[in-house]
């Protein structure tokens, strides 16, 4: 009975991290634009490698980890269940983060909604200061990770945070993800080399503020 309880608790934790164990397999989402659509900010080669290779790998590994988890749960194998935690978090986070990332970007220029802009100005003083602060914590990520704008349901304010590796924002910080900047080297290195600040600064030029504003609206209702 105790082992079964542990299994259920870990399954709930996996779900909380976004690594939902489901009967249907996760699939690679299609991009809402052509691979070359974000040029010159992000070139076609980076987009193809990032989407077809890296994101697809997260999807494949997440499906494999979930299959193993289902087997471990059926066998009541607590050691195996616990051992799968890292793979579920990393690959589940990678899948969640990138699915948001693709939609956070757009070749079409847009502006934040009135509500989001007011929230950003209230929290950071101005829209430009928000970009400066988000850029700062994103560039400062040690190694690989993400810089995020999120919504805090407790304080009912927007906030920024950095996450290591593929840690999902909501499971890690409690913030609802609105806008993420991927600073894994495969996201920019072919084009920007080691100059991460230039990539982070440029990505605001292709930010899809319509998508971010919609996420903000939904976050307020959740």
């Amino acid at each position: 009975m105790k082992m079964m309880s542990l299994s259920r608790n870990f399954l709930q934790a996996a779900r909380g991290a976004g690594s939902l164990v489901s009967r249907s397999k996760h699939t690679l989402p299609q991009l809402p634009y052509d691979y070359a659509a974000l040029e010159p900010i992000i070139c076609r080669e980076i987009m193809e490698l990032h989407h077809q290779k890296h994101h697809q790998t997260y999807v494949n590994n997440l499906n494999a980890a979930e299959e193993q988890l289902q087997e471990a749960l059926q066998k009541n194998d607590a050691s195996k269940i616990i051992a799968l935690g890292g793979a579920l978090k990393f690959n589940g986070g990678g899948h969640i983060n990138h699915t948001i990332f693709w939609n956070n970007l757009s070749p079409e220029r847009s502006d934040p909604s009135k509500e989001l802009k007011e929230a950003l100005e209230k929290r950071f003083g101005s829209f430009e200061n928000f970009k400066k602060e988000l850029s700062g914590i994103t560039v400062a990520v040690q190694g690989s990770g993400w810089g995020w704008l999120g919504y805090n349901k407790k304080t009912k304010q927007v906030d920024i945070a950095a996450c290591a590796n593929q840690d999902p924002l909501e499971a890690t910080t409690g913030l609802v993800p609105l806008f993420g900047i991927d600073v894994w080297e495969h996201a920019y290195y072919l084009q920007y080399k080691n100059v991460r600040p230039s990539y982070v600064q440029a990505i605001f030029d292709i930010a899809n503020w319509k998508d971010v504003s919609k996420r903000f609206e939904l976050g307020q209702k959740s």
Side-chain angles (χ1 to χ4, degrees), residues 100-179:
I100 295 171
F101 183 65
W102 307 132
N103 289 285
N104 272 173
L105 305 179
S106 173
E108 299 179 5
R109 187 186 179 283
S110 61
D111 295 306
S113 66
K114 178 184 176 181
E115 293 75 17
L116 176 58
K117 186 176 181 181
E118 289 177 350
L120 291 170
E121 290 174 345
K122 179 181 179 180
R123 173 65 179 81
F124 300 102
S126 68
F127 184 66
E128 289 303 315
N129 198 50
F130 148 68
K131 293 198 296 184
K132 180 179 179 180
E133 291 197 29
L134 178 57
S135 297
I137 68 163
T138 304
V139 171
V141 170
Q142 294 185 346
S144 301
W146 293 72
W148 287 98
L149 168 68
Y151 177 71
N152 189 321
K153 291 186 286 187
K154 292 182 178 179
T155 64
K156 301 187 184 304
Q157 287 188 324
V158 291
D159 208 345
I160 57 175
C163 293
N165 300 314
Q166 293 296 352
D167 291 359
L169 181 69
E170 190 162 8
T172 304
T173 67
L175 297 176
V176 177
L178 304 179
F179 176 65

Side-chain angles (χ1 to χ4, degrees), residues 6 22 41 65 88 99 137 162 176 213:
L6 176 60
S22 59
I41 305 301
L88 289 167
T99 299
I137 68 163
V176 177
S213 298

